Amino acid sequence: LTMFAECRVAQALVALNVLTYSDELKAMLKARKPVDQGGEIECEIRGMSIVACDMICEGVKEVGRERGVEVEVSAPVVDYCIWLWARKNRDLIEELPFHRTRTIYY
């Protein structure tokens, strides 16, 4: 099971410097231009959010192994923790643009 690749988690990943956007993409998102559902940009943002959460899981597990502890963590748990962090730090992330995709899928 993967994380739930919605726009606010991607926004939080940018705030946490886990993901970075090109200047061109940042300008597009700041202009609030819609991102085509199923298009290259949407798939890339969502796909990299999934990869980032998977990498965070592996990093957490590796730290656990280094300390002699087996850590069970999944991408949905990481997603939820990032989403909670974003909710608690709204003032920090609200200035960052997020992708706007009209869709029925999430």
Side-chain angles (χ1 to χ4, degrees):
L1 184 60
T2 67
M3 56 84 71
F4 310 105
E6 52 88 38
C7 63
R8 295 299 184 161
V9 171
Q11 182 186 36
L13 289 168
V14 170
L16 293 166
N17 294 313
V18 174
L19 295 180
T20 57
Y21 293 155
S22 69
D23 291 338
E24 180 183 352
L25 179 56
K26 278 191 265 188
M28 184 186 127
L29 298 178
K30 281 183 181 179
R32 296 180 167 213
K33 292 184 179 176
V35 174
D36 292 337
Q37 185 259 314
E40 183 178 342
I41 293 171
E42 183 205 18
C43 290
E44 195 168 303
I45 291 171
R46 294 190 191 285
M48 291 313 299
S49 296
I50 292 168
V51 169
C53 284
D54 287 345
M55 290 176 75
I56 291 168
C57 285
E58 290 309 309
V60 168
K61 290 175 185 177
E62 180 62 30
V63 169
R65 283 191 292 273
E66 289 170 1
R67 296 181 178 177
V69 178
E70 184 177 339
V71 178
E72 289 190 33
V73 64
S74 65
V77 170
V78 170
D79 173 277
Y80 184 65
C81 290
I82 293 169
W83 184 83
L84 280 179
W85 178 87
R87 299 282 296 169
K88 291 179 182 178
N89 293 280
R90 266 191 211 153
D91 56 324
L92 181 70
I93 70 165
E94 281 303 314
E95 65 190 49
L96 299 171
F98 61 92
H99 65 284
R100 298 166 190 279
T101 301
R102 189 172 290 253
T103 182
I104 61 169
Y105 296 110
Y106 29 82

